[in-house]
């Protein structure tokens, strides 16, 4: 396949999807089916891009992963309970359809029904990470819970693939933990000396694709698992976040191949379309089950709903299970096409669902809150800003700089708000007053009465425009008597923020240059004053 063809088609349909308010990945999925209809078949370029994209994605997850999050009950128990219930319910349903006599299900016994149900019980790691990154919610509680559940699912996937292969990994695989432990200090030293440019990017590529993926594959382990573990190994390095950011664009480009590959997997038949539509119709069961399970673990209705929406799809692992099943002669090749269609359809439907997730919760909050338990998860408590007069939402580099300057000028009346516990811990250790909270959460504001609050200045300094815009709308809706300011990166973002009710919006790239110039001028003026004083003496 000529790369120029799929690049053009992918851009046109991705661009079209964006213009109608959908994520570009929806357009990429449709592009795959369009190319398939044009007679194009997946080639080595698409396959390689897809594999590299998924590998870099898992490496990036590892860079941001807190291993302690996997041992929390809502993660491991939630994942296992959801999988068990889904496999049993879907398995019985598929077996019942086979008993009815549908041709696609002919020859499918109860054991194979459970196999297909097992494939459908997984949710997509690629989709969830893409959606959470676009909304800057990877570090939020619902984002951490969703990613934790997906990693538990990935571990189960590795176990299944190893068992289905009928052979154990190489005996050398037993040495992997020892080698990694010994190799880690060297990795950290190399990363120290890579600088901030192209060497940093190459280091990430080598760590993910060569040491991680190829190294694990060499000893019979899943390559993606190797990339994830290599990311975890260097996650505590000061440059881990910078490394993840530097690989971001490469990962995004490579993942286009992944979405195209789904559509190129085969031409659908009418029967395959019908079965895929049936599978799509039962996705709400997965979402509702996630919501019920997460609320049982004392998470709030909002956290549970947003986490469930991130998992409201089928997984690319379903295609892998289908390939394993066809390779072993358990199921027919048409299952690959059926699962691919169902997977693509759930991606298309879940994209706008996640985009509108906060609006949906705001409308359904009164109906969903009765499902909450009396107790509350320690990380999901509603907070009170106390006696603070200035609140800064988003304690990244911009928010931290604003916090320090405002505290220097106005005293200890400044409070920072962030939804990343690790960020909060670092700031508290540095002597700043920073609390946990998600300003895009309607419940965050529900406990604060505008006529009683002492806050008179609010600064929205979160990294994503969508988060700042959503928080601004919440603040304006609650009619807080405070001056509202926000940061932005582009002129159209400033316009949108002001239309939402923000009093002052600033392009922090431009302001950074202005601030630098002001500091230089201040230093020059001080020097002049010092020279004049010296002459007077």
């Amino acid at each position: 396949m000529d790369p120029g063809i799929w690049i053009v088609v992918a851009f046109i349909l991705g661009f079209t999807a964006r213009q109608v308010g959908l994520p570009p990945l929806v357009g990429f999925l449709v592009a795959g089916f369009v190319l398939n209809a044009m007679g194009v078949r997946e080639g080595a370029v698409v396959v390689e891009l897809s594999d590299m994209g998924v590998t870099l994605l898992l490496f990036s997850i590892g860079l941001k992963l807190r291993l302690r999050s996997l041992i929390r009950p809502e993660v491991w128990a939630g994942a296992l309970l959801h999988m068990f219930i889904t496999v049993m319910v879907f398995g019985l349903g598929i077996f019942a359809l086979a008993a009815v006599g549908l041709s696609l299900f002919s020859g499918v016994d109860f054991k194979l029904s459970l196999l297909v149900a097992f494939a459908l019980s997984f949710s997509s790691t690629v989709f969830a990470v893409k959606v959470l990154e676009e909304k800057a919610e990877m570090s939020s509680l619902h984002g951490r819970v969703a990613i934790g559940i997906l990693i538990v699912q990935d571990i189960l996937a590795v176990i299944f693939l190893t068992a289905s292969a009928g052979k154990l990994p190489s005996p050398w695989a037993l040495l992997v933990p020892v080698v990694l432990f010994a190799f880690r200090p060297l990795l950290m030293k190399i990363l120290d000396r890579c600088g901030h440019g192209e060497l940093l990017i190459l280091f990430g590529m080598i760590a993910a694709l060569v040491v991680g993926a190829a190294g694990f594959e060499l000893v019979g382990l899943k390559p993606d698992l190797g990339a994830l573990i290599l990311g975890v190994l260097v996650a505590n390095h000061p440059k881990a976040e910078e490394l993840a950011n530097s690989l971001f664009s490469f990962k995004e480009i490579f993942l286009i191949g992944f979405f195209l590959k789904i559509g190129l997997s085969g031409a659908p038949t009418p029967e395959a379309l019908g079965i895929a539509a049936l599978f799509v119709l039962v996705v709400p069961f997965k979402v509702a089950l996630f919501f019920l399970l997460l609320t049982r673990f004392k998470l709030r209705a909002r956290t549970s709903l947003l986490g469930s929406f991130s998992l409201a799809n089928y997984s690319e692992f379903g295609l892998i299970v289908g390939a394993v099943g066809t390779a072993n002669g358990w199921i027919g090749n048409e299952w690959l096409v059926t699962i691919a269609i169902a997977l693509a359809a759930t991606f298309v439907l879940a994209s706008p669902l996640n985009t509108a997730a906060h609006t949906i919760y705001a409308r359904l909050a009164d109906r969903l809150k009765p499902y909450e338990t009396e107790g509350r998860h320690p990380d999901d408590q509603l907070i009170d800003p106390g006696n603070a007069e200035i609140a800064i939402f988003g304690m990244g580099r911009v928010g931290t700089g604003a916090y320090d300057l405002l505290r220097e000028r106005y005293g200890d009346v400044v409070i920072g708000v962030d939804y990343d516990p690790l960020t909060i811990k670092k700031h508290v250790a540095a002597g700043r007053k920073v609390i946990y909270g998600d300003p895009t959460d309607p419940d965050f504001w529900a406990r604060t009465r505008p006529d009683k609050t002492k806050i008179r200045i609010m600064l929205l300094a979160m990294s994503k425009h969508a988060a700042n815009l959503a928080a601004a709308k919440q603040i304006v809706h609650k009619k807080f008597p405070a001056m509202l300011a926000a940061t932005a990166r582009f002129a159209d973002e400033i316009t949108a923020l002001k239309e939402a009710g923000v009093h002052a919006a600033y392009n922090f790239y431009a302001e950074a240059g202005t601030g630098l110039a002001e500091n230089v001028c201040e230093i020059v003026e001080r020097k002049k004053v010092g020279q004049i004083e010296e002459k007077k003496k």
Side-chain angles (χ1 to χ4, degrees):
M1 176 178 65
D2 182 1
I5 296 176
W6 60 260
I7 290 174
V8 172
V9 174
F11 174 78
I12 291 174
L13 293 176
F15 179 81
T16 302
R18 181 176 176 81
Q19 303 317 301
V20 298
L22 294 173
L25 69 86
V26 175
F28 302 149
L29 283 166
V30 176
F33 286 105
V34 170
L35 289 169
N36 190 293
M38 292 168 57
V40 177
R41 296 293 177 262
E42 67 177 46
V45 174
V46 173
V47 173
E48 285 296 326
L49 283 177
S50 174
D51 292 344
M52 290 172 68
V54 173
T55 300
L56 287 179
L57 173 73
L58 288 168
F59 179 70
S60 299
I61 293 174
L63 289 173
K64 301 175 183 179
L65 180 64
R66 280 73 157 170
L67 290 178
R68 286 178 297 179
S69 65
L70 298 182
I71 63 175
R72 295 188 172 186
E74 65 270 17
V75 173
W76 68 266
L80 294 177
L81 285 171
H82 187 276
M83 178 167 287
F84 175 77
I85 296 171
T86 302
V87 169
M88 295 308 299
V89 172
F90 282 17
L92 289 171
I94 293 170
F95 184 66
L97 291 173
V100 170
L102 291 177
S103 60
L104 186 60
F105 293 92
S106 60
V108 177
D109 56 18
F110 186 62
K111 183 185 295 185
L112 295 184
S113 298
L114 292 178
L115 174 65
V116 175
F118 179 64
L120 298 178
S121 68
F122 287 78
S123 296
S124 173
T125 302
V126 176
F127 179 89
V129 173
K130 284 278 291 180
V131 166
L132 291 169
E133 283 184 340
E134 286 175 1
K135 298 193 295 180
E137 294 177 356
M138 280 287 287
S139 297
S140 65
L141 180 58
H142 66 268
R144 299 197 310 272
V145 170
I147 294 301
I149 288 173
L150 288 166
I151 290 174
V152 172
Q153 290 184 350
D154 287 343
I155 292 171
L156 294 173
V158 172
I159 295 173
F160 171 81
L161 291 175
T162 301
S164 63
K167 60 180 182 180
L168 294 174
S170 164
W172 292 105
L174 297 173
L175 295 177
V176 166
V178 178
V179 172
L180 290 177
F181 181 78
F183 195 51
R184 184 173 182 269
L186 177 61
L187 279 175
M188 303 296 262
K189 287 183 179 179
I190 294 174
L191 186 52
D192 278 333
R193 307 190 67 171
C194 277
H196 305 280
E198 61 273 14
L199 282 178
L200 183 65
I201 297 172
L202 285 174
F203 172 87
M205 294 283 192
I206 293 172
L209 302 173
V210 181
V211 181
F216 270 55
E217 188 175 26
L218 191 64
V219 294
L221 295 173
K222 198 168 184 285
D224 297 343
L225 178 64
L228 177 69
I229 291 177
L230 259 293
V232 172
L233 274 183
V234 297
N236 290 329
H237 194 281
K239 285 186 179 178
E241 183 177 357
E242 182 184 353
L243 178 58
N245 292 335
S246 66
L247 293 173
F248 180 80
S249 296
F250 292 94
K251 178 191 67 180
E252 296 291 288
I253 289 294
F254 294 157
L255 282 176
I256 294 174
F258 168 81
F259 295 114
L260 289 174
K261 183 180 175 183
I262 293 174
L264 290 168
S265 58
T269 63
E271 189 175 27
L273 287 171
I275 300 300
L278 182 62
F279 286 162
V280 171
L281 289 175
V282 295
V283 168
F285 172 82
K286 290 181 65 175
V287 178
L289 182 57
F290 270 125
F291 176 80
L292 289 173
L293 288 173
L294 293 178
T295 52
R296 296 315 92 195
F297 288 106
K298 299 182 179 181
L299 293 173
R300 289 187 297 122
R302 178 183 182 273
T303 304
S304 301
L305 185 72
L306 297 184
S308 300
F309 280 178
S310 300
L311 303 169
N313 49 65
Y314 293 124
S315 171
E316 55 280 0
F317 178 68
L319 295 176
I320 299 174
V321 171
V324 171
T326 53
N328 289 297
W330 299 335
I331 53 178
N333 189 62
E334 61 274 13
W335 276 100
L336 283 175
V337 179
T338 301
I339 295 174
I341 297 170
L343 170 63
T346 57
F347 278 17
V348 171
L349 294 174
S351 293
L353 179 71
N354 279 274
T355 301
H358 297 284
T359 303
I360 292 172
Y361 173 75
R363 292 179 179 176
L364 299 178
D366 292 338
R367 297 182 184 180
L368 297 175
K369 286 184 179 179
Y371 290 95
E372 295 179 345
T373 58
E374 291 185 5
R376 183 69 71 242
H377 191 284
D379 288 348
D380 211 10
Q381 301 283 350
L382 297 174
I383 58 92
D384 184 353
N387 295 321
E389 297 179 13
I390 302 173
I392 299 173
F393 301 97
M395 289 298 290
R397 285 176 293 181
V398 176
T400 302
Y403 180 102
D404 291 342
L405 178 62
L406 291 169
R407 186 172 65 173
E408 181 181 340
R409 291 191 179 182
Y410 298 105
D412 197 20
V413 295
V414 186
I415 189 171
V417 182
D418 204 284
Y419 55 55
D420 185 351
L422 188 59
T423 297
I424 296 170
K425 185 177 179 181
K426 290 179 180 177
H427 283 302
V428 171
R432 301 183 182 94
K433 186 179 180 182
V434 181
I435 57 176
Y436 178 87
D438 182 357
T440 65
D441 180 358
D443 291 344
F444 175 84
W445 304 103
R447 290 270 306 276
T448 306
R449 292 180 58 184
D451 58 332
K452 298 292 184 181
T453 182
K454 295 183 178 180
I455 293 177
R456 55 190 177 88
I457 299 175
M458 293 182 176
L459 172 60
L460 303 174
M462 290 171 283
S463 59
K464 293 293 184 179
H465 169 66
N468 287 329
L469 188 61
K473 291 178 179 179
Q474 291 286 340
I475 294 168
V476 172
H477 177 70
K478 289 292 181 180
K479 298 180 180 178
F480 277 87
M483 195 281 281
L484 180 59
T487 59
R489 293 181 298 170
F490 307 106
D492 58 337
E493 294 180 353
I494 292 177
T495 301
L497 287 165
K498 289 185 175 179
E499 288 176 352
V502 173
H503 301 112
Y506 304 95
N507 182 323
F508 58 76
Y509 290 133
E511 293 299 318
T514 303
L516 176 61
E518 288 178 350
N519 287 336
V520 171
C521 291
E522 186 178 343
I523 292 171
V524 171
E525 289 299 322
R526 285 177 182 173
K527 272 191 167 185
K528 286 182 179 179
V529 172
Q531 290 171 357
I532 292 172
E533 293 295 330
E534 286 292 328
K535 287 181 180 179
K536 286 182 179 179
K537 291 179 181 179

